[in-house]
PDB file of all heavy atoms in Angstrom:
ATOM      1  N   LEU U 135      15.535  -5.431   3.983  1.00  0.00           N
ATOM      2  CA  LEU U 135      14.779  -6.506   4.556  1.00  0.00           C
ATOM      3  C   LEU U 135      14.725  -7.750   3.668  1.00  0.00           C
ATOM      4  O   LEU U 135      14.698  -8.928   4.078  1.00  0.00           O
ATOM      5  CB  LEU U 135      13.369  -6.045   5.027  1.00  0.00           C
ATOM      6  CG  LEU U 135      13.414  -5.234   6.392  1.00  0.00           C
ATOM      7  CD1 LEU U 135      12.192  -4.342   6.518  1.00  0.00           C
ATOM      8  CD2 LEU U 135      13.478  -6.261   7.440  1.00  0.00           C
ATOM      9  N   ILE U 136      14.604  -7.425   2.357  1.00  0.00           N
ATOM     10  CA  ILE U 136      14.634  -8.546   1.297  1.00  0.00           C
ATOM     11  C   ILE U 136      15.998  -9.235   1.443  1.00  0.00           C
ATOM     12  O   ILE U 136      16.029 -10.465   1.364  1.00  0.00           O
ATOM     13  CB  ILE U 136      14.458  -7.957  -0.055  1.00  0.00           C
ATOM     14  CG1 ILE U 136      12.962  -7.575  -0.160  1.00  0.00           C
ATOM     15  CG2 ILE U 136      14.743  -8.999  -1.145  1.00  0.00           C
ATOM     16  CD1 ILE U 136      12.598  -6.706  -1.513  1.00  0.00           C
ATOM     17  N   GLY U 137      17.001  -8.558   1.653  1.00  0.00           N
ATOM     18  CA  GLY U 137      18.354  -9.090   1.818  1.00  0.00           C
ATOM     19  C   GLY U 137      18.416 -10.028   3.016  1.00  0.00           C
ATOM     20  O   GLY U 137      19.024 -11.002   2.965  1.00  0.00           O
ATOM     21  N   GLN U 138      17.840  -9.549   4.156  1.00  0.00           N
ATOM     22  CA  GLN U 138      17.773 -10.340   5.382  1.00  0.00           C
ATOM     23  C   GLN U 138      16.948 -11.730   5.163  1.00  0.00           C
ATOM     24  O   GLN U 138      17.382 -12.775   5.633  1.00  0.00           O
ATOM     25  CB  GLN U 138      17.194  -9.599   6.500  1.00  0.00           C
ATOM     26  CG  GLN U 138      18.068  -8.406   6.902  1.00  0.00           C
ATOM     27  CD  GLN U 138      17.401  -7.628   8.109  1.00  0.00           C
ATOM     28  OE1 GLN U 138      16.348  -7.934   8.571  1.00  0.00           O
ATOM     29  NE2 GLN U 138      18.012  -6.461   8.379  1.00  0.00           N
ATOM     30  N   ALA U 139      15.903 -11.637   4.458  1.00  0.00           N
ATOM     31  CA  ALA U 139      15.133 -12.758   4.074  1.00  0.00           C
ATOM     32  C   ALA U 139      15.945 -13.705   3.173  1.00  0.00           C
ATOM     33  O   ALA U 139      15.956 -15.014   3.498  1.00  0.00           O
ATOM     34  CB  ALA U 139      13.784 -12.433   3.445  1.00  0.00           C
ATOM     35  N   GLU U 140      16.666 -13.094   2.263  1.00  0.00           N
ATOM     36  CA  GLU U 140      17.486 -14.048   1.344  1.00  0.00           C
ATOM     37  C   GLU U 140      18.616 -14.694   2.121  1.00  0.00           C
ATOM     38  O   GLU U 140      18.964 -15.861   1.762  1.00  0.00           O
ATOM     39  CB  GLU U 140      18.027 -13.184   0.295  1.00  0.00           C
ATOM     40  CG  GLU U 140      17.011 -12.767  -0.810  1.00  0.00           C
ATOM     41  CD  GLU U 140      17.529 -11.868  -1.855  1.00  0.00           C
ATOM     42  OE1 GLU U 140      18.647 -11.297  -1.668  1.00  0.00           O
ATOM     43  OE2 GLU U 140      16.838 -11.703  -2.883  1.00  0.00           O
ATOM     44  N   ALA U 141      19.081 -14.033   3.133  1.00  0.00           N
ATOM     45  CA  ALA U 141      20.148 -14.591   3.982  1.00  0.00           C
ATOM     46  C   ALA U 141      19.661 -15.885   4.721  1.00  0.00           C
ATOM     47  O   ALA U 141      20.438 -16.766   5.100  1.00  0.00           O
ATOM     48  CB  ALA U 141      20.749 -13.610   4.899  1.00  0.00           C
ATOM     49  N   LEU U 142      18.374 -15.910   4.950  1.00  0.00           N
ATOM     50  CA  LEU U 142      17.698 -17.005   5.635  1.00  0.00           C
ATOM     51  C   LEU U 142      17.207 -18.063   4.678  1.00  0.00           C
ATOM     52  O   LEU U 142      16.540 -18.983   5.017  1.00  0.00           O
ATOM     53  CB  LEU U 142      16.565 -16.474   6.511  1.00  0.00           C
ATOM     54  CG  LEU U 142      16.862 -15.599   7.656  1.00  0.00           C
ATOM     55  CD1 LEU U 142      15.655 -15.087   8.353  1.00  0.00           C
ATOM     56  CD2 LEU U 142      17.785 -16.339   8.738  1.00  0.00           C
ATOM     57  N   GLY U 143      17.513 -17.827   3.357  1.00  0.00           N
ATOM     58  CA  GLY U 143      17.063 -18.740   2.270  1.00  0.00           C
ATOM     59  C   GLY U 143      15.624 -18.573   1.992  1.00  0.00           C
ATOM     60  O   GLY U 143      14.951 -19.482   1.459  1.00  0.00           O
ATOM     61  N   LYS U 144      15.020 -17.387   2.180  1.00  0.00           N
ATOM     62  CA  LYS U 144      13.567 -17.147   2.080  1.00  0.00           C
ATOM     63  C   LYS U 144      13.361 -16.090   0.876  1.00  0.00           C
ATOM     64  O   LYS U 144      14.176 -15.044   0.766  1.00  0.00           O
ATOM     65  CB  LYS U 144      12.917 -16.677   3.273  1.00  0.00           C
ATOM     66  CG  LYS U 144      13.047 -17.652   4.422  1.00  0.00           C
ATOM     67  CD  LYS U 144      12.201 -18.894   4.162  1.00  0.00           C
ATOM     68  CE  LYS U 144      12.217 -19.851   5.283  1.00  0.00           C
ATOM     69  NZ  LYS U 144      13.428 -20.680   5.407  1.00  0.00           N
ATOM     70  N   HIS U 145      12.404 -16.282   0.071  1.00  0.00           N
ATOM     71  CA  HIS U 145      12.070 -15.385  -1.081  1.00  0.00           C
ATOM     72  C   HIS U 145      10.593 -14.994  -0.858  1.00  0.00           C
ATOM     73  O   HIS U 145       9.684 -15.841  -1.062  1.00  0.00           O
ATOM     74  CB  HIS U 145      12.354 -16.214  -2.320  1.00  0.00           C
ATOM     75  CG  HIS U 145      12.309 -15.419  -3.608  1.00  0.00           C
ATOM     76  ND1 HIS U 145      13.377 -14.943  -4.204  1.00  0.00           N
ATOM     77  CD2 HIS U 145      11.273 -14.879  -4.406  1.00  0.00           C
ATOM     78  CE1 HIS U 145      13.130 -14.237  -5.288  1.00  0.00           C
ATOM     79  NE2 HIS U 145      11.837 -14.175  -5.344  1.00  0.00           N
ATOM     80  N   VAL U 146      10.365 -13.715  -0.573  1.00  0.00           N
ATOM     81  CA  VAL U 146       8.953 -13.359  -0.252  1.00  0.00           C
ATOM     82  C   VAL U 146       8.366 -12.824  -1.574  1.00  0.00           C
ATOM     83  O   VAL U 146       8.865 -11.990  -2.299  1.00  0.00           O
ATOM     84  CB  VAL U 146       9.028 -12.186   0.809  1.00  0.00           C
ATOM     85  CG1 VAL U 146       7.587 -11.733   1.187  1.00  0.00           C
ATOM     86  CG2 VAL U 146       9.687 -12.611   2.034  1.00  0.00           C
ATOM     87  N   VAL U 269       5.776 -17.289   1.039  1.00  0.00           N
ATOM     88  CA  VAL U 269       7.235 -17.318   1.138  1.00  0.00           C
ATOM     89  C   VAL U 269       7.776 -18.505   0.427  1.00  0.00           C
ATOM     90  O   VAL U 269       7.211 -19.564   0.655  1.00  0.00           O
ATOM     91  CB  VAL U 269       7.726 -17.201   2.582  1.00  0.00           C
ATOM     92  CG1 VAL U 269       9.291 -17.376   2.679  1.00  0.00           C
ATOM     93  CG2 VAL U 269       7.348 -15.810   3.229  1.00  0.00           C
ATOM     94  N   TRP U 270       8.803 -18.325  -0.337  1.00  0.00           N
ATOM     95  CA  TRP U 270       9.302 -19.436  -1.278  1.00  0.00           C
ATOM     96  C   TRP U 270      10.738 -19.712  -0.816  1.00  0.00           C
ATOM     97  O   TRP U 270      11.345 -19.027   0.007  1.00  0.00           O
ATOM     98  CB  TRP U 270       9.259 -19.126  -2.733  1.00  0.00           C
ATOM     99  CG  TRP U 270       7.787 -18.781  -3.094  1.00  0.00           C
ATOM    100  CD1 TRP U 270       6.914 -17.832  -2.562  1.00  0.00           C
ATOM    101  CD2 TRP U 270       6.995 -19.565  -4.091  1.00  0.00           C
ATOM    102  NE1 TRP U 270       5.689 -17.854  -3.259  1.00  0.00           N
ATOM    103  CE2 TRP U 270       5.694 -18.958  -4.125  1.00  0.00           C
ATOM    104  CE3 TRP U 270       7.257 -20.623  -4.918  1.00  0.00           C
ATOM    105  CZ2 TRP U 270       4.648 -19.409  -5.045  1.00  0.00           C
ATOM    106  CZ3 TRP U 270       6.301 -21.050  -5.804  1.00  0.00           C
ATOM    107  CH2 TRP U 270       4.985 -20.404  -5.749  1.00  0.00           C
ATOM    108  N   ASP U 271      11.258 -20.784  -1.416  1.00  0.00           N
ATOM    109  CA  ASP U 271      12.739 -21.092  -1.137  1.00  0.00           C
ATOM    110  C   ASP U 271      13.538 -20.007  -1.879  1.00  0.00           C
ATOM    111  O   ASP U 271      13.037 -19.156  -2.552  1.00  0.00           O
ATOM    112  CB  ASP U 271      13.087 -22.481  -1.636  1.00  0.00           C
ATOM    113  CG  ASP U 271      12.957 -22.679  -3.125  1.00  0.00           C
ATOM    114  OD1 ASP U 271      12.547 -21.763  -3.849  1.00  0.00           O
ATOM    115  OD2 ASP U 271      13.192 -23.853  -3.603  1.00  0.00           O
ATOM    116  N   LYS U 272      14.904 -20.048  -1.642  1.00  0.00           N
ATOM    117  CA  LYS U 272      15.726 -19.041  -2.154  1.00  0.00           C
ATOM    118  C   LYS U 272      15.609 -18.815  -3.650  1.00  0.00           C
ATOM    119  O   LYS U 272      15.761 -17.666  -4.199  1.00  0.00           O
ATOM    120  CB  LYS U 272      17.196 -19.306  -1.730  1.00  0.00           C
ATOM    121  CG  LYS U 272      18.120 -18.064  -1.887  1.00  0.00           C
ATOM    122  CD  LYS U 272      19.459 -18.234  -1.281  1.00  0.00           C
ATOM    123  CE  LYS U 272      20.312 -17.075  -1.389  1.00  0.00           C
ATOM    124  NZ  LYS U 272      21.608 -17.173  -0.583  1.00  0.00           N
ATOM    125  N   ALA U 273      15.495 -19.923  -4.330  1.00  0.00           N
ATOM    126  CA  ALA U 273      15.358 -19.941  -5.863  1.00  0.00           C
ATOM    127  C   ALA U 273      14.019 -19.414  -6.256  1.00  0.00           C
ATOM    128  O   ALA U 273      13.797 -19.094  -7.457  1.00  0.00           O
ATOM    129  CB  ALA U 273      15.597 -21.322  -6.402  1.00  0.00           C
ATOM    130  N   GLY U 274      13.090 -19.223  -5.383  1.00  0.00           N
ATOM    131  CA  GLY U 274      11.686 -18.804  -5.701  1.00  0.00           C
ATOM    132  C   GLY U 274      10.887 -19.751  -6.510  1.00  0.00           C
ATOM    133  O   GLY U 274       9.891 -19.452  -7.146  1.00  0.00           O
ATOM    134  N   GLU U 275      11.212 -21.118  -6.262  1.00  0.00           N
ATOM    135  CA  GLU U 275      10.432 -22.131  -7.025  1.00  0.00           C
ATOM    136  C   GLU U 275       9.567 -22.995  -6.123  1.00  0.00           C
ATOM    137  O   GLU U 275       8.549 -23.508  -6.633  1.00  0.00           O
ATOM    138  CB  GLU U 275      11.546 -23.065  -7.711  1.00  0.00           C
ATOM    139  CG  GLU U 275      12.393 -22.311  -8.708  1.00  0.00           C
ATOM    140  CD  GLU U 275      13.489 -23.222  -9.380  1.00  0.00           C
ATOM    141  OE1 GLU U 275      13.576 -24.358  -8.848  1.00  0.00           O
ATOM    142  OE2 GLU U 275      14.183 -22.723 -10.299  1.00  0.00           O
ATOM    143  N   THR U 276       9.822 -23.131  -4.805  1.00  0.00           N
ATOM    144  CA  THR U 276       9.016 -23.876  -3.995  1.00  0.00           C
ATOM    145  C   THR U 276       8.414 -23.076  -2.828  1.00  0.00           C
ATOM    146  O   THR U 276       9.076 -22.402  -2.101  1.00  0.00           O
ATOM    147  CB  THR U 276       9.906 -25.017  -3.238  1.00  0.00           C
ATOM    148  OG1 THR U 276      10.484 -25.806  -4.341  1.00  0.00           O
ATOM    149  CG2 THR U 276       8.936 -25.950  -2.445  1.00  0.00           C
ATOM    150  N   ASN U 277       7.078 -23.178  -2.778  1.00  0.00           N
ATOM    151  CA  ASN U 277       6.327 -22.412  -1.749  1.00  0.00           C
ATOM    152  C   ASN U 277       6.464 -23.087  -0.407  1.00  0.00           C
ATOM    153  O   ASN U 277       5.907 -24.078  -0.165  1.00  0.00           O
ATOM    154  CB  ASN U 277       4.830 -22.379  -2.135  1.00  0.00           C
ATOM    155  CG  ASN U 277       4.118 -21.464  -1.184  1.00  0.00           C
ATOM    156  OD1 ASN U 277       4.522 -21.121  -0.100  1.00  0.00           O
ATOM    157  ND2 ASN U 277       2.893 -21.061  -1.685  1.00  0.00           N
ATOM    158  N   VAL U 278       7.324 -22.481   0.514  1.00  0.00           N
ATOM    159  CA  VAL U 278       7.549 -23.100   1.864  1.00  0.00           C
ATOM    160  C   VAL U 278       6.465 -22.829   2.792  1.00  0.00           C
ATOM    161  O   VAL U 278       6.414 -23.434   3.943  1.00  0.00           O
ATOM    162  CB  VAL U 278       8.861 -22.585   2.348  1.00  0.00           C
ATOM    163  CG1 VAL U 278      10.066 -22.925   1.542  1.00  0.00           C
ATOM    164  CG2 VAL U 278       8.864 -21.130   2.779  1.00  0.00           C
ATOM    165  N   GLU U 291       6.222 -23.190   8.967  1.00  0.00           N
ATOM    166  CA  GLU U 291       6.846 -21.830   8.772  1.00  0.00           C
ATOM    167  C   GLU U 291       5.837 -20.727   8.454  1.00  0.00           C
ATOM    168  O   GLU U 291       5.964 -19.608   8.858  1.00  0.00           O
ATOM    169  CB  GLU U 291       7.932 -21.949   7.655  1.00  0.00           C
ATOM    170  CG  GLU U 291       9.177 -22.670   8.084  1.00  0.00           C
ATOM    171  CD  GLU U 291      10.229 -22.547   7.084  1.00  0.00           C
ATOM    172  OE1 GLU U 291       9.959 -22.845   5.904  1.00  0.00           O
ATOM    173  OE2 GLU U 291      11.340 -22.157   7.406  1.00  0.00           O
ATOM    174  N   LEU U 378       9.616 -12.164   9.521  1.00  0.00           N
ATOM    175  CA  LEU U 378      10.897 -12.796   9.837  1.00  0.00           C
ATOM    176  C   LEU U 378      11.096 -12.895  11.332  1.00  0.00           C
ATOM    177  O   LEU U 378      11.646 -13.982  11.871  1.00  0.00           O
ATOM    178  CB  LEU U 378      12.053 -11.929   9.320  1.00  0.00           C
ATOM    179  CG  LEU U 378      12.194 -11.868   7.755  1.00  0.00           C
ATOM    180  CD1 LEU U 378      13.486 -11.040   7.381  1.00  0.00           C
ATOM    181  CD2 LEU U 378      12.375 -13.280   7.141  1.00  0.00           C
ATOM    182  N   LEU U 381       9.340 -16.006  12.211  1.00  0.00           N
ATOM    183  CA  LEU U 381      10.166 -17.158  11.883  1.00  0.00           C
ATOM    184  C   LEU U 381      11.214 -17.386  12.907  1.00  0.00           C
ATOM    185  O   LEU U 381      11.447 -18.483  13.367  1.00  0.00           O
ATOM    186  CB  LEU U 381      10.787 -17.070  10.452  1.00  0.00           C
ATOM    187  CG  LEU U 381       9.722 -17.153   9.262  1.00  0.00           C
ATOM    188  CD1 LEU U 381      10.573 -16.924   7.986  1.00  0.00           C
ATOM    189  CD2 LEU U 381       9.071 -18.560   9.177  1.00  0.00           C
ATOM    190  N   ASN U 382      11.935 -16.287  13.294  1.00  0.00           N
ATOM    191  CA  ASN U 382      13.024 -16.426  14.203  1.00  0.00           C
ATOM    192  C   ASN U 382      12.639 -16.866  15.568  1.00  0.00           C
ATOM    193  O   ASN U 382      13.342 -17.563  16.324  1.00  0.00           O
ATOM    194  CB  ASN U 382      13.837 -15.127  14.273  1.00  0.00           C
ATOM    195  CG  ASN U 382      14.587 -14.812  12.930  1.00  0.00           C
ATOM    196  OD1 ASN U 382      14.961 -15.683  12.258  1.00  0.00           O
ATOM    197  ND2 ASN U 382      14.688 -13.588  12.631  1.00  0.00           N
TER     198      ASN U 382
END
Side-chain angles (χ1 to χ4, degrees):
L135 282 156
I136 289 172
Q138 291 177 8
E140 289 177 345
L142 296 174
K144 300 292 186 281
H145 192 101
V146 182
V269 173
W270 300 61
D271 64 1
K272 193 168 186 177
E275 296 176 354
T276 301
N277 184 344
V278 301
E291 284 191 309
L378 291 184
L381 289 176
N382 291 332

